[in-house]
Amino acid sequence: MKKTLKCAIVGIGFIGKQHYEAIRRCPNTEVVSIVDYKEERGRSFASQYGIASSYTSLEDMLNEQEVDVVHICTPNNLHYSMAKTVIEHGVHVFCEKPLSLTAKESEELVRLTNKYNVKHGVNLNYRSNAMVREMRSRVINNHAEDLLMVHANYIQDWLMFDDDYDWHFDPELVGPSRTVADIGSHVFDTVQFISNQKIKRVFAKLLTVYPTRKKREQFGETFALTYGENFEEVEIVNEDGAMIIAELESGVSVSINLSQVTGGHKNAFDVTFSHSNYSMSWNQERADRLVIGKRNEGNEELYADAKYLSDDVKRFISLPNGHAVGWADAIKNSIYEFYLSLEDDTLVDSVVTFEDGHYLMKIVEACLLSNIENRWVDVE
Ligand SMILES: NC(=O)c1ccc[n+]([C@@H]2O[C@H](COP(=O)([O-])OP(=O)(O)OC[C@H]3O[C@@H](n4cnc5c(N)ncnc54)[C@H](O)[C@@H]3O)[C@@H](O)[C@H]2O)c1
């Protein structure tokens, strides 16, 4: 990058901190401001890391600071209004997923980015893992022959007890979908990216395991909550899991299992592409490995290392094999790729644009409708 990029992060909870670390790993960047409505949280983070300013209001920060990019890392309900504010200030925007609560909102954001001519990205970080890139490269370069089917699972346990409760259960904050929008959007993006095809229709069954949950006084951020003694019983209106069949443009079928209530499975996202010459399997908890499954000879386990992978993937690897690259490296790649795309239009296929984020919202809404009407729904 030609000049030092000045960045601000809004929301310094679980994922905001990861953005900060990732930005610091990108050359020619400086985080100049933190915005968090919890004043002390923002201020103490800024002072700990030597960040020049902290604010409780995004608008104030934009009016007083010169920034090139704003990272939006707040709960889902704020993505639309905050992205709109950033765009209207003529500043580039990098937003956490899901892009919005509804496809209507995301459509409006796409319109605004065109009107104000700013760059836009959504953090669907798994596509920036080196081995996911290798899978796509093999598909695009025809090393993996005809695609027969795709299987994907994203299984977690952080919400498995009936007293696990945070903003993700409040439809005002999370939107009409929880699990499908939260982790399903990662699966949809990864499958579309590897296959280089869009998901065109879905049949979804959504599952809610507890009709009510105990909402207690709580402290902390996602994955690090502690709870008080007293609770109220709250009705649950969004899903803990989903079983989805999807179809790609070519008609190839994709089977997707999602759960946030399955004990012992932490962040277990795996995806298998079955091709006519071999299969490719990737598991994000062993993110530096790609298993090439063979029929008549032994399987191959590729380690992430520049010398084993395709030329167009090498830039996603920063360590030699055995020094396992993983989740945090993919976030760094996701952010750095976006920064590079600010000056290089050829990278637009590499980043998740607001158009892509909008299409993901349409897939989420198609799943919700399919579940209600018990039928296939086209993504339009
Ligand atoms: N890409 C990923 O893998 C990934 C992982 C986790 C979360 N996320 C996404 O990131 C977003 C945030 O999730 P999280 O887990 O970090 O939540 P969190 O609750 O840990 O953090 C949210 C932060 O936003 C702050 N905040 C809330 N309202 C605000 C406001 N009005 N102004 C400024 N700050 C405000 C909170 O104080 C908190 O610090 C969600 O949309 C989630 O879907 C993405």
Side-chain angles (χ1 to χ4, degrees), residues 5 25 51 61 72 76 103 131 152 177 190 203 274 349 372-373:
L5 204 67
R25 290 175 63 192
I51 299 164
M61 187 278 290
I72 298 174
N76 305 3
M131 299 324 239
S177 162
T190 306
F203 197 117
S274 302
D349 285 348
I372 291 167
E373 299 191 352

Side-chain angles (χ1 to χ4, degrees), residues 177-247:
S177 162
R178 172 165 39 97
T179 308
V180 175
D182 189 22
I183 52 178
S185 58
H186 278 302
V187 177
F188 304 146
D189 181 65
T190 306
V191 168
Q192 292 190 134
F193 186 66
I194 296 171
S195 66
N196 200 25
Q197 294 185 46
K198 284 202 154 52
I199 289 172
K200 294 308 284 183
R201 56 187 208 130
V202 293
F203 197 117
K205 182 167 175 55
L206 274 47
L207 312 160
T208 302
V209 296
Y210 301 115
T212 62
R213 283 180 181 252
K214 297 179 180 63
K215 178 183 177 185
R216 296 202 250 167
E217 191 188 5
Q218 55 194 250
F219 317 90
E221 64 201 33
T222 307
F223 301 121
L225 283 176
T226 54
Y227 299 101
E229 285 297 307
N230 302 322
F231 64 84
E232 57 173 307
E233 206 71 46
V234 177
E235 190 192 350
I236 299 304
V237 295
N238 55 30
E239 75 283 1
D240 298 305
M243 290 169 189
I244 302 167
I245 323 172
E247 244 178 52

Side-chain angles (χ1 to χ4, degrees), residues 248-315:
L248 298 174
E249 284 167 68
S250 60
V252 164
S253 297
V254 184
S255 133
I256 299 170
N257 289 305
L258 307 175
S259 170
Q260 298 187 307
V261 292
T262 300
H265 295 257
K266 303 304 173 190
N267 199 33
F269 175 22
D270 64 77
V271 58
T272 296
F273 271 59
S274 302
H275 292 269
S276 56
N277 55 338
Y278 53 67
S279 69
M280 298 186 284
S281 299
W282 179 75
N283 172 351
Q284 103 75 30
E285 290 185 348
R286 287 163 56 86
D288 66 326
R289 315 286 167 90
L290 174 60
V291 176
I292 308 294
K294 299 185 178 174
R295 157 79 183 269
N296 289 335
E297 49 193 294
N299 292 346
E300 228 179 297
E301 189 175 50
L302 274 180
Y303 282 47
D305 188 299
K307 62 181 169 289
Y308 309 137
L309 303 186
S310 306
D311 285 347
D312 54 339
V313 177
K314 293 188 194 306
R315 72 178 187 282

Side-chain angles (χ1 to χ4, degrees), residues 10-16 35-38 41 56 73-76 78-79 82 96-98 123 125-126 167-168 182 186 221-223 327 331:
V10 196
I12 199 75
F14 167 65
I15 202 71
V35 182
D36 201 296
Y37 80 142
K38 292 192 172 156
R41 185 181 285 193
T56 54
C73 300
T74 49
N76 305 3
L78 297 166
H79 294 180
M82 287 183 161
E96 263 306 333
K97 44 56 48 174
N123 187 36
N125 39 296
Y126 292 109
W167 62 263
H168 292 85
D182 189 22
H186 278 302
E221 64 201 33
T222 307
F223 301 121
W327 191 89
I331 290 259

Side-chain angles (χ1 to χ4, degrees), residues 192 198-200 355-363 379:
Q192 292 190 134
K198 284 202 154 52
I199 289 172
K200 294 308 284 183
E355 280 91 356
D356 300 322
H358 172 49
Y359 194 79
L360 294 171
M361 290 310 303
K362 293 203 279 188
I363 302 175
V379 184

